[in-house]
CSV table of all heavy atoms in Angstrom, one decimal:
chain,number,residue,atom,x,y,z
A,1,SER,N,103.4,74.3,97.9
A,1,SER,CA,103.6,74.3,99.4
A,1,SER,C,104.9,75.0,99.8
A,1,SER,O,104.9,75.7,100.8
A,1,SER,CB,103.6,72.9,99.9
A,1,SER,OG,104.7,72.1,99.2
A,2,HIS,N,105.9,74.9,98.9
A,2,HIS,CA,107.2,75.6,99.2
A,2,HIS,C,107.0,77.2,99.2
A,2,HIS,O,107.5,77.9,100.0
A,2,HIS,CB,108.3,75.2,98.3
A,2,HIS,CG,109.0,74.0,98.7
A,2,HIS,ND1,110.2,73.6,98.3
A,2,HIS,CD2,108.6,72.9,99.5
A,2,HIS,CE1,110.6,72.5,98.8
A,2,HIS,NE2,109.6,72.0,99.6
A,3,ALA,N,106.3,77.6,98.2
A,3,ALA,CA,106.0,79.1,98.0
A,3,ALA,C,105.2,79.6,99.2
A,3,ALA,O,105.5,80.7,99.7
A,3,ALA,CB,105.3,79.4,96.7
A,4,ILE,N,104.2,78.8,99.6
A,4,ILE,CA,103.4,79.2,100.8
A,4,ILE,C,104.3,79.4,102.0
A,4,ILE,O,104.2,80.3,102.8
A,4,ILE,CB,102.3,78.3,101.0
A,4,ILE,CG1,101.2,78.4,99.8
A,4,ILE,CG2,101.6,78.5,102.3
A,4,ILE,CD1,100.2,77.3,99.8
A,5,ALA,N,105.2,78.4,102.2
A,5,ALA,CA,106.0,78.4,103.4
A,5,ALA,C,107.0,79.6,103.3
A,5,ALA,O,107.3,80.2,104.3
A,5,ALA,CB,106.8,77.1,103.5
A,6,GLN,N,107.5,79.9,102.1
A,6,GLN,CA,108.4,81.0,101.9
A,6,GLN,C,107.8,82.4,102.2
A,6,GLN,O,108.5,83.4,102.4
A,6,GLN,CB,109.0,81.0,100.5
A,6,GLN,CG,109.9,79.8,100.2
A,6,GLN,CD,110.0,79.6,98.7
A,6,GLN,OE1,109.8,80.5,97.9
A,6,GLN,NE2,110.4,78.4,98.4
A,7,CYS,N,106.5,82.5,102.3
A,7,CYS,CA,105.8,83.7,102.5
A,7,CYS,C,105.0,83.7,103.8
A,7,CYS,O,104.0,84.4,103.9
A,7,CYS,CB,104.8,84.0,101.3
A,7,CYS,SG,105.7,84.1,99.7
A,8,HIS,N,105.4,82.9,104.7
A,8,HIS,CA,104.7,82.7,106.0
A,8,HIS,C,104.4,84.0,106.7
A,8,HIS,O,103.3,84.3,107.2
A,8,HIS,CB,105.4,81.8,106.9
A,8,HIS,CG,104.9,81.7,108.3
A,8,HIS,ND1,103.7,81.0,108.6
A,8,HIS,CD2,105.3,82.3,109.5
A,8,HIS,CE1,103.5,81.2,109.9
A,8,HIS,NE2,104.4,81.9,110.4
A,9,LYS,N,105.4,84.9,106.8
A,9,LYS,CA,105.3,86.1,107.6
A,9,LYS,C,104.2,87.0,107.0
A,9,LYS,O,103.4,87.6,107.7
A,9,LYS,CB,106.6,86.9,107.7
A,9,LYS,CG,107.7,86.2,108.5
A,9,LYS,CD,109.0,86.9,108.6
A,9,LYS,CE,110.0,86.2,109.4
A,9,LYS,NZ,111.3,87.0,109.4
A,10,PHE,N,104.2,87.2,105.7
A,10,PHE,CA,103.2,88.0,105.0
A,10,PHE,C,101.8,87.5,105.2
A,10,PHE,O,100.9,88.2,105.6
A,10,PHE,CB,103.6,88.1,103.5
A,10,PHE,CG,102.5,88.8,102.7
A,10,PHE,CD1,102.5,90.2,102.6
A,10,PHE,CD2,101.4,88.1,102.1
A,10,PHE,CE1,101.5,90.9,101.9
A,10,PHE,CE2,100.5,88.8,101.4
A,10,PHE,CZ,100.5,90.2,101.3
A,11,LEU,N,101.7,86.2,105.0
A,11,LEU,CA,100.4,85.6,105.2
A,11,LEU,C,99.9,85.7,106.6
A,11,LEU,O,98.7,85.9,106.8
A,11,LEU,CB,100.4,84.1,104.7
A,11,LEU,CG,100.7,83.8,103.3
A,11,LEU,CD1,100.9,82.3,103.0
A,11,LEU,CD2,99.6,84.4,102.4
A,12,HIS,N,100.8,85.5,107.6
A,12,HIS,CA,100.4,85.6,109.0
A,12,HIS,C,100.0,87.0,109.4
A,12,HIS,O,99.0,87.2,110.2
A,12,HIS,CB,101.6,85.1,109.8
A,12,HIS,CG,101.2,85.1,111.3
A,12,HIS,ND1,100.4,84.2,111.9
A,12,HIS,CD2,101.7,85.9,112.3
A,12,HIS,CE1,100.3,84.4,113.1
A,12,HIS,NE2,101.0,85.5,113.5
A,13,THR,N,100.6,88.0,108.8
A,13,THR,CA,100.3,89.4,109.2
A,13,THR,C,99.2,90.0,108.3
A,13,THR,O,98.3,90.7,108.9
A,13,THR,CB,101.5,90.3,109.2
A,13,THR,OG1,102.1,90.2,107.8
A,13,THR,CG2,102.6,89.8,110.2
A,14,GLU,N,99.2,89.8,107.0
A,14,GLU,CA,98.3,90.5,106.1
A,14,GLU,C,97.1,89.7,105.8
A,14,GLU,O,96.0,90.3,105.5
A,14,GLU,CB,99.0,90.8,104.8
A,14,GLU,CG,100.3,91.7,105.0
A,14,GLU,CD,99.9,93.1,105.5
A,14,GLU,OE1,98.8,93.6,105.3
A,14,GLU,OE2,100.8,93.7,106.2
A,15,LEU,N,97.2,88.4,105.9
A,15,LEU,CA,96.0,87.5,105.5
A,15,LEU,C,95.8,86.5,106.6
A,15,LEU,O,95.6,85.3,106.3
A,15,LEU,CB,96.2,86.9,104.1
A,15,LEU,CG,96.2,87.9,103.0
A,15,LEU,CD1,96.6,87.1,101.7
A,15,LEU,CD2,94.9,88.6,102.8
A,16,LYS,N,95.9,86.9,107.8
A,16,LYS,CA,95.9,86.0,109.0
A,16,LYS,C,94.5,85.2,109.0
A,16,LYS,O,93.5,85.8,108.9
A,16,LYS,CB,96.1,86.7,110.3
A,16,LYS,CG,96.2,85.8,111.5
A,16,LYS,CD,96.7,86.6,112.7
A,16,LYS,CE,96.9,85.7,113.9
A,16,LYS,NZ,97.4,86.4,115.1
A,17,GLY,N,94.6,83.9,109.1
A,17,GLY,CA,93.4,83.1,109.2
A,17,GLY,C,92.8,82.7,107.8
A,17,GLY,O,91.9,81.9,107.8
A,18,ILE,N,93.4,83.3,106.8
A,18,ILE,CA,92.9,82.9,105.4
A,18,ILE,C,93.5,81.5,105.0
A,18,ILE,O,94.7,81.4,105.1
A,18,ILE,CB,93.3,84.0,104.4
A,18,ILE,CG1,92.7,85.3,104.8
A,18,ILE,CG2,92.8,83.6,103.0
A,18,ILE,CD1,91.2,85.3,104.9
A,19,PRO,N,92.7,80.6,104.6
A,19,PRO,CA,93.3,79.3,104.3
A,19,PRO,C,94.2,79.3,103.1
A,19,PRO,O,94.0,80.1,102.2
A,19,PRO,CB,92.0,78.4,104.0
A,19,PRO,CG,90.9,79.4,103.7
A,19,PRO,CD,91.3,80.6,104.4
A,20,THR,N,95.1,78.4,103.1
A,20,THR,CA,96.0,78.2,101.9
A,20,THR,C,95.7,76.9,101.3
A,20,THR,O,95.3,75.9,101.9
A,20,THR,CB,97.5,78.3,102.3
A,20,THR,OG1,97.7,77.3,103.3
A,20,THR,CG2,97.8,79.6,102.9
A,21,VAL,N,95.9,76.8,99.9
A,21,VAL,CA,95.6,75.6,99.2
A,21,VAL,C,96.8,75.2,98.4
A,21,VAL,O,97.3,76.1,97.6
A,21,VAL,CB,94.4,75.8,98.2
A,21,VAL,CG1,94.1,74.5,97.4
A,21,VAL,CG2,93.1,76.3,99.0
A,22,ASN,N,97.3,74.0,98.5
A,22,ASN,CA,98.5,73.6,97.8
A,22,ASN,C,98.2,73.2,96.4
A,22,ASN,O,97.1,72.5,96.1
A,22,ASN,CB,99.1,72.4,98.5
A,22,ASN,CG,99.7,72.7,99.8
A,22,ASN,OD1,100.0,73.9,100.1
A,22,ASN,ND2,100.0,71.7,100.7
A,23,THR,N,99.0,73.6,95.4
A,23,THR,CA,98.9,73.2,94.0
A,23,THR,C,100.2,72.6,93.6
A,23,THR,O,101.2,72.6,94.3
A,23,THR,CB,98.6,74.5,93.2
A,23,THR,OG1,99.6,75.5,93.4
A,23,THR,CG2,97.3,75.1,93.5
A,24,THR,N,100.2,72.0,92.4
A,24,THR,CA,101.4,71.3,91.9
A,24,THR,C,102.5,72.3,91.6
A,24,THR,O,103.7,71.8,91.5
A,24,THR,CB,101.1,70.5,90.7
A,24,THR,OG1,100.5,71.3,89.7
A,24,THR,CG2,100.1,69.4,91.0
A,25,SER,N,102.2,73.5,91.3
A,25,SER,CA,103.3,74.5,91.0
A,25,SER,C,102.7,75.9,91.3
A,25,SER,O,101.4,76.1,91.4
A,25,SER,CB,103.7,74.4,89.6
A,25,SER,OG,102.7,74.8,88.7
A,26,THR,N,103.5,76.9,91.3
A,26,THR,CA,103.1,78.3,91.5
A,26,THR,C,102.3,78.7,90.2
A,26,THR,O,101.3,79.4,90.3
A,26,THR,CB,104.2,79.2,91.7
A,26,THR,OG1,105.2,79.1,90.6
A,26,THR,CG2,104.9,79.0,93.0
A,27,ALA,N,102.7,78.3,89.1
A,27,ALA,CA,102.0,78.6,87.8
A,27,ALA,C,100.6,78.0,87.8
A,27,ALA,O,99.7,78.6,87.2
A,27,ALA,CB,102.9,78.3,86.6
């Protein structure tokens, strides 16, 4: 969830509307 939040601008502009799924870690 922290990594997703840290990349909000990219996700909003390049993958807008694409759902995100939280995992226990980035790895």
Side-chain angles (χ1 to χ4, degrees):
S1 58
H2 276 202
I4 291 170
Q6 291 161 20
C7 302
H8 169 75
K9 292 181 182 178
F10 173 86
L11 295 174
H12 182 69
T13 56
E14 301 295 334
L15 294 172
K16 189 172 184 177
I18 302 302
T20 57
V21 180
N22 292 342
T23 57
T24 56
S25 68
T26 54

